[in-house]
Structures are given as C-alpha cells and as structure tokens.
C-alpha cells in the first residue's frame, strides 16, 4: 500500500441529531492534524463539513477545500482554511478530490455523502483508482447501507470480494488499521 498523506473526508452538510457525529468529526479532525494528514474536503462551512475543516485547522493541520463556484456564491464556503479551490461543476470537484486524495473517509451524511461514497467505491471497482475508502460507521449509522451492499452481492450484482474495497470502521483506530492493511484486489466481476 503506497503511503497515505492527503485524506479526503466526505460528510454531511448538516450535523445530524446524534451529538456523537459531531464529537467524532472533531476527534477525526484533531487526529488528522496531529498525524500530519492534510484534509481534502468539499469546502463547505455547514454541518459536519464545517466541523472537520475547523477542527483540523484549530489543531494546526492543513485543509484543502474544493467547492463548485455556485455553492461558494451562495455563501456556503469555509474561507478560514489553508487552500480553497473552486471548480465549475460538481463533477469537476469530485475529479479533483480524487486527484488530491490518497484515501477516503466517509462520515455520516445525507444524499450527497452517499453519492460521493458510492462514486468512489464504484470507480474503485472498475480500477479507475486503487485508493482505500473507510466508512466511519459511527453508532451504526451505516449498518443498513452495508446490509444493502451485502444484499447486492448476494443477488449477483457484485462479487462478494468487492465488499473488501471499503473498510467498515467504528473507530478512528479501525480506519487507520484498515488503511495500513488495505490491498486493492479485483476479482472478475462478470461471472453471471
Ligand atoms: P449531504 O450529505 O447531502 O449533506 O451532502 C454533503 C455533500 O454534498 C458534501 O460532501 C458536498 O460535496 C455536497 N454539499 C451539499 N451541501 C453542501 C454545502 N452546503 N456546502 C458544500 N458542499 C455541499
């Protein structure tokens, strides 16, 4: 596994109701700053997005925000970060996040976060990238999503081995253990 420097964090632009989501987001930001992992994220100031940026900055870390111009023009960007990049579209933003990241962490979030997770996972599955992806499954938030992915494999839409393309982690330690042991391996997908 190549050395992981930049870590891209996907997360909700809301806080969610469970206070543990915010607590663990702040803990992750502090951990990433202390371990010298620059954070790549969507550049927003709201919700857990703003929290990951501010907790990393406050702990002396580096934050690269990548936001489409239309969201920035709505006043949604966090400007107190190391670098704020604007892109023309959401898709260009995701391409740039992939380019800058060595690994991905997915915190609790909504439809936007699901989309970012499944984009990076589906791109991994077709070898567009080989980077590790961790679902930070705080308080079992993602259990039903993981169950749906197991069902998808059981139903013949993906090989079971492709479940190993992401790490289902319930703590920061599990995320980084998973990264350290990650090997990108693809079985042949089209057997049925
Ligand atoms: P959601 O999980 O639905 O809140 O969406 C979060 C994801 O969608 C973020 O990672 C962003 O890519 C994008 N997004 C949604 N709302 C915002 C916002 N207010 N500021 C920046 N990005 C946003």
């Amino acid at each position: 596994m190549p050395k992981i420097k930049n870590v891209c964090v996907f997360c909700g632009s809301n806080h969610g109701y469970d206070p543990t989501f915010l607590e663990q987001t702040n803990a992750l930001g502090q951990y990433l700053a202390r371990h010298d992992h620059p954070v790549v994220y969507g550049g927003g100031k709201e919700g857990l997005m703003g929290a990951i940026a501010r907790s990393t900055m406050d702990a002396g870390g580096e934050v690269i925000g990548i936001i489409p111009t239309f969201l920035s023009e709505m006043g949604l960007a966090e400007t107190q970060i190391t670098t704020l990049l604007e892109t023309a579209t959401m898709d260009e933003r995701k391409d740039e996040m992939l380019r800058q990241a060595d690994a991905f962490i997915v915190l609790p979030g909504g439809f936007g976060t699901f989309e970012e997770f499944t984009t990076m996972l589906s791109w991994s599955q077709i070898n567009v990238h080989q980077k590790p992806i961790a679902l930070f499954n705080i308080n079992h938030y993602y259990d039903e999503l993981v169950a749906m992915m197991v069902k998808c494999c059981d139903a013949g839409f993906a090989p079971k081995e492709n479940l190993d393309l992401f790490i289902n982690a319930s703590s920061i330690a599990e995320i980084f253990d998973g990264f350290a042991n990650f090997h990108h391996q693809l079985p042949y997908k089209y057997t049925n």
Side-chain angles (χ1 to χ4, degrees), residues 99-120:
R99 209 179 63 73
Q100 296 228 10
D102 300 310
F104 299 92
I105 298 176
V106 184
L107 284 162
F111 300 160
T113 305
F114 299 170
E115 188 266 345
E116 290 163 334
F117 169 56
T118 53
T119 296
M120 291 310 163

Side-chain angles (χ1 to χ4, degrees), residues 7-13 25 28 32 39-43 48-49 52 66 90 93-99 101 103-121 123 129 132-136 138 142:
V7 173
C8 178
V9 178
F10 296 129
C11 58
S13 55
T25 299
L28 179 65
L32 293 169
V39 172
V40 176
Y41 89 116
L48 299 183
M49 297 184 75
I52 193 69
I66 307 174
M90 293 290 278
R93 173 209 235 178
K94 229 164 20 184
D95 286 341
E96 187 59 20
M97 291 170 111
L98 172 59
R99 209 179 63 73
F104 299 92
I105 298 176
V106 184
L107 284 162
F111 300 160
T113 305
F114 299 170
E115 188 266 345
E116 290 163 334
F117 169 56
T118 53
T119 296
M120 291 310 163
L121 184 61
W123 287 357
H129 73 86
I133 303 167
L135 258 192
F136 192 175
I138 300 169
Y142 282 119

